[in-house]
Amino acid sequence: MNRPTHRLTGAILAGGRSRRMGRDKAELVLTLPSGERLTMLQQVHRALESVCDETLVVGGPARAGVDARRVADRFPGAGPLAGILSALLDSSNERVFVVACDMPFVDTQAIEGLAALMNDHDAIVPRIEGRFETLHAIYKTDCAAAIRKVLDAGDRRVRSFFSLIDLRIVTEEEFAVIDPGGRSSMNVNYPEEFESAADRLRGTRE
């Protein structure tokens, strides 16, 4: 398997309760154009393992069919920010690409593009239509101290520690270059969104 010249950990957050979906999103099954069937977690993991030196699955129960190191959520119930912190504390690499398990179109080119733009910044996060894509971003393990600080203060918003670090924001124009399809950071929360994404991935809908 080809590896990037930079070392990078891929961390998939899979500890959410999937309330809006009504089912465990990580275990929803997608059909690829080849006919192969993968869970959403397997689909995301496949994209990450082709560009990352190690992959982690953070939170949730043990999953079959995914060859990644399972990391327990050290702060259960504290949301995605705590999941990011757990990934940073367990990463073997300085840089960690964090992604949610409900992003079936996550793209290796987009991951590599973010890594190439990061340079010496503490984190690199796309901002699309004024919204930070915090679960399609790269964070250095040095961010752990800042995250602990805001969590201890009771703030669980992922962006709450951004003012405490050297943040590199990726503009929409920049992100369009590294993700020409415009789908890598797309996530699914509701059944109808999943069905639409499944159709697009299968190739039955543009």
Side-chain angles (χ1 to χ4, degrees):
M1 182 182 296
N2 294 326
R3 295 294 188 186
T5 55
H6 43 264
R7 295 185 61 82
L8 186 68
T9 292
I12 309 169
L13 302 192
R17 298 182 181 180
S18 303
R19 289 174 176 169
R20 289 174 288 184
M21 185 66 69
R23 294 179 289 166
D24 184 354
K25 289 191 285 188
E27 296 294 338
L28 292 175
V29 176
L30 301 159
T31 302
L32 306 187
S34 65
E36 183 180 12
R37 290 166 61 83
L38 298 174
T39 66
M40 276 217 291
L41 181 61
Q42 289 172 325
Q43 171 74 355
V44 175
H45 174 259
R46 177 173 290 186
L48 266 59
E49 71 171 348
S50 67
V51 294
C52 297
D53 295 300
E54 72 170 347
T55 53
L56 311 175
V57 176
V58 183
R63 312 280 187 178
V66 177
D67 184 20
R69 180 154 57 90
R70 182 169 174 262
V71 173
D73 190 341
R74 300 188 184 199
F75 313 91
L81 181 57
I84 294 173
L85 178 56
S86 296
L88 298 183
L89 294 175
D90 277 88
S91 174
S92 300
N93 294 314
E94 181 185 32
R95 298 180 180 187
V96 183
F97 174 71
V98 176
V99 65
C101 68
D102 62 354
M103 293 182 168
F105 300 106
V106 63
D107 183 76
T108 56
Q109 178 179 331
I111 300 170
E112 289 277 26
L114 288 176
L117 290 173
M118 189 172 184
N119 297 319
D120 293 326
H121 300 286
D122 294 325
I124 183 165
V125 183
R127 184 161 60 188
I128 311 298
E129 296 181 353
R131 179 173 174 268
F132 284 113
E133 297 293 342
T134 56
L135 299 186
H136 189 286
I138 300 176
Y139 304 94
K140 278 188 178 179
T141 53
D142 287 347
C143 293
I147 295 176
R148 282 185 183 274
K149 182 174 182 179
V150 296
L151 282 175
D152 287 345
D155 196 336
R156 297 181 178 179
R157 297 172 301 159
V158 176
R159 65 180 184 177
S160 61
F161 74 100
F162 286 176
S163 64
L164 305 177
I165 64 171
D166 176 12
L167 174 66
R168 167 68 155 91
I169 297 173
V170 180
T171 66
E172 288 190 54
E173 292 75 17
E174 289 176 314
F175 197 65
V177 174
I178 64 175
D179 178 31
R183 303 193 303 182
S184 188
S185 63
M186 181 187 303
N187 71 317
V188 296
N189 289 308
Y190 297 96
E192 57 271 23
E193 292 177 344
F194 170 74
E195 294 301 331
S196 176
D199 285 346
R200 293 177 69 180
L201 193 64
R202 188 165 51 238
T204 58
R205 180 183 300 184
E206 294 297 324

Short mmCIF file of all heavy atoms in Angstrom, two decimals, residues 5-6 28 40 45 60 64 69 76 103 117 120 125 132 144 147 177 181 195 199 201 205:
data_model
loop_
_atom_site.label_atom_id
_atom_site.label_comp_id
_atom_site.label_asym_id
_atom_site.label_seq_id
_atom_site.Cartn_x
_atom_site.Cartn_y
_atom_site.Cartn_z
N THR A 5 4.31 10.89 2.16
CA THR A 5 5.63 11.20 2.66
C THR A 5 5.57 11.76 4.07
O THR A 5 6.55 11.71 4.81
CB THR A 5 6.32 12.23 1.74
OG1 THR A 5 5.48 13.39 1.62
CG2 THR A 5 6.58 11.65 0.37
N HIS A 6 4.44 12.32 4.48
CA HIS A 6 4.24 12.81 5.84
C HIS A 6 3.51 11.75 6.66
O HIS A 6 2.70 10.99 6.13
CB HIS A 6 3.42 14.11 5.83
CG HIS A 6 2.24 14.05 4.90
ND1 HIS A 6 2.28 14.55 3.62
CD2 HIS A 6 1.01 13.51 5.05
CE1 HIS A 6 1.13 14.33 3.03
NE2 HIS A 6 0.34 13.70 3.87
N LEU A 28 -24.64 1.29 8.90
CA LEU A 28 -25.48 1.35 7.70
C LEU A 28 -24.67 0.86 6.49
O LEU A 28 -23.49 1.17 6.35
CB LEU A 28 -25.97 2.78 7.47
CG LEU A 28 -26.95 3.33 8.50
CD1 LEU A 28 -27.26 4.79 8.21
CD2 LEU A 28 -28.22 2.51 8.52
N MET A 40 -20.81 2.08 6.48
CA MET A 40 -20.25 3.43 6.34
C MET A 40 -18.91 3.51 7.05
O MET A 40 -17.99 4.17 6.56
CB MET A 40 -21.22 4.48 6.91
CG MET A 40 -22.29 4.88 5.91
SD MET A 40 -22.74 6.63 5.99
CE MET A 40 -23.57 6.68 7.57
N HIS A 45 -13.10 4.07 6.64
CA HIS A 45 -11.82 3.47 7.01
C HIS A 45 -10.98 3.15 5.77
O HIS A 45 -9.77 3.35 5.76
CB HIS A 45 -12.06 2.19 7.82
CG HIS A 45 -10.81 1.44 8.14
ND1 HIS A 45 -10.42 0.31 7.44
CD2 HIS A 45 -9.83 1.67 9.05
CE1 HIS A 45 -9.28 -0.12 7.93
NE2 HIS A 45 -8.90 0.68 8.90
N GLY A 60 -17.79 4.18 20.69
CA GLY A 60 -18.71 3.17 20.18
C GLY A 60 -18.25 1.76 20.53
O GLY A 60 -17.18 1.56 21.10
N ALA A 64 -16.83 -5.17 13.74
CA ALA A 64 -16.25 -6.23 12.91
C ALA A 64 -15.90 -5.66 11.54
O ALA A 64 -16.51 -4.71 11.06
CB ALA A 64 -17.24 -7.38 12.77
N ARG A 69 -7.21 0.39 15.14
CA ARG A 69 -7.11 0.35 16.60
C ARG A 69 -8.30 1.06 17.22
O ARG A 69 -8.63 2.20 16.85
CB ARG A 69 -5.80 0.99 17.05
CG ARG A 69 -5.60 0.98 18.56
CD ARG A 69 -4.11 1.03 18.90
NE ARG A 69 -3.44 2.18 18.34
CZ ARG A 69 -3.33 3.36 18.97
NH1 ARG A 69 -3.88 3.53 20.17
NH2 ARG A 69 -2.68 4.36 18.39
N PRO A 76 -16.85 10.11 27.91
CA PRO A 76 -18.14 9.76 27.31
C PRO A 76 -19.23 10.79 27.62
O PRO A 76 -19.31 11.32 28.73
CB PRO A 76 -18.47 8.40 27.94
CG PRO A 76 -17.61 8.32 29.16
CD PRO A 76 -16.38 9.09 28.86
N MET A 103 -19.46 10.09 6.91
CA MET A 103 -19.02 10.83 5.73
C MET A 103 -18.60 9.84 4.65
O MET A 103 -17.40 9.57 4.46
CB MET A 103 -17.87 11.77 6.09
CG MET A 103 -18.27 12.91 7.01
SD MET A 103 -16.89 14.03 7.35
CE MET A 103 -17.77 15.39 8.12
N LEU A 117 -1.30 21.58 2.93
CA LEU A 117 -1.48 23.00 3.26
C LEU A 117 -1.19 23.33 4.72
O LEU A 117 -1.06 24.49 5.08
CB LEU A 117 -2.93 23.42 2.95
CG LEU A 117 -3.36 23.49 1.49
CD1 LEU A 117 -4.87 23.74 1.40
CD2 LEU A 117 -2.60 24.58 0.76
N ASP A 120 3.27 24.34 9.43
CA ASP A 120 3.55 24.26 10.87
C ASP A 120 2.39 24.70 11.75
O ASP A 120 2.57 24.90 12.96
CB ASP A 120 4.78 25.13 11.20
CG ASP A 120 6.06 24.56 10.59
OD1 ASP A 120 6.18 23.32 10.51
OD2 ASP A 120 6.93 25.37 10.20
N VAL A 125 -8.53 23.57 9.18
CA VAL A 125 -9.97 23.28 9.16
C VAL A 125 -10.61 24.01 7.98
O VAL A 125 -10.48 25.22 7.86
CB VAL A 125 -10.66 23.73 10.47
CG1 VAL A 125 -12.14 23.35 10.45
CG2 VAL A 125 -9.97 23.13 11.69
N PHE A 132 -17.44 25.92 9.90
CA PHE A 132 -16.24 25.12 10.05
C PHE A 132 -16.57 23.64 9.91
O PHE A 132 -17.51 23.13 10.54
CB PHE A 132 -15.61 25.34 11.43
CG PHE A 132 -14.86 26.64 11.57
CD1 PHE A 132 -15.32 27.62 12.43
CD2 PHE A 132 -13.70 26.87 10.85
CE1 PHE A 132 -14.64 28.82 12.58
CE2 PHE A 132 -13.01 28.06 10.98
CZ PHE A 132 -13.48 29.04 11.85
N ALA A 144 -4.19 19.20 22.34
CA ALA A 144 -4.85 18.53 23.47
C ALA A 144 -4.98 19.44 24.69
O ALA A 144 -6.02 19.45 25.36
CB ALA A 144 -4.10 17.25 23.84
N ILE A 147 -7.78 21.91 24.20
CA ILE A 147 -9.09 21.24 24.26
C ILE A 147 -9.45 20.92 25.71
O ILE A 147 -10.60 21.11 26.14
CB ILE A 147 -9.08 19.98 23.40
CG1 ILE A 147 -8.90 20.34 21.93
CG2 ILE A 147 -10.39 19.19 23.59
CD1 ILE A 147 -8.77 19.14 21.01
N VAL A 177 -10.31 23.18 -4.76
CA VAL A 177 -9.17 22.65 -5.51
C VAL A 177 -8.81 21.25 -5.05
O VAL A 177 -8.54 20.36 -5.86
CB VAL A 177 -7.96 23.59 -5.39
CG1 VAL A 177 -6.72 22.97 -6.05
CG2 VAL A 177 -8.27 24.95 -6.01
N GLY A 181 -14.92 17.41 -6.38
CA GLY A 181 -16.28 16.89 -6.39
C GLY A 181 -17.18 17.54 -5.37
O GLY A 181 -18.41 17.43 -5.45
N GLU A 195 -30.12 7.63 2.18
CA GLU A 195 -30.58 6.98 0.94
C GLU A 195 -30.08 7.73 -0.29
O GLU A 195 -29.68 7.12 -1.28
CB GLU A 195 -32.11 6.91 0.94
CG GLU A 195 -32.70 5.99 2.01
CD GLU A 195 -32.22 4.56 1.90
OE1 GLU A 195 -31.90 4.11 0.76
OE2 GLU A 195 -32.13 3.88 2.93
N ASP A 199 -27.47 6.19 -3.02
CA ASP A 199 -27.75 6.17 -4.45
C ASP A 199 -26.60 6.78 -5.24
O ASP A 199 -26.20 6.24 -6.30
CB ASP A 199 -29.04 6.94 -4.75
CG ASP A 199 -30.29 6.17 -4.34
OD1 ASP A 199 -30.20 4.96 -4.08
OD2 ASP A 199 -31.37 6.80 -4.28
N LEU A 201 -23.45 7.05 -4.35
CA LEU A 201 -22.26 6.21 -4.26
C LEU A 201 -22.39 4.98 -5.17
O LEU A 201 -21.42 4.54 -5.79
CB LEU A 201 -22.04 5.77 -2.81
CG LEU A 201 -20.68 5.15 -2.50
CD1 LEU A 201 -19.57 6.18 -2.70
CD2 LEU A 201 -20.66 4.63 -1.06
N ARG A 205 -27.50 7.90 -9.02
CA ARG A 205 -27.95 9.29 -8.98
C ARG A 205 -26.72 10.18 -9.08
O ARG A 205 -25.70 9.92 -8.45
CB ARG A 205 -28.69 9.59 -7.67
CG ARG A 205 -29.18 11.02 -7.55
CD ARG A 205 -29.84 11.30 -6.22
NE ARG A 205 -31.00 10.44 -6.00
CZ ARG A 205 -31.79 10.54 -4.95
NH1 ARG A 205 -31.56 11.45 -4.02
NH2 ARG A 205 -32.82 9.72 -4.79
#
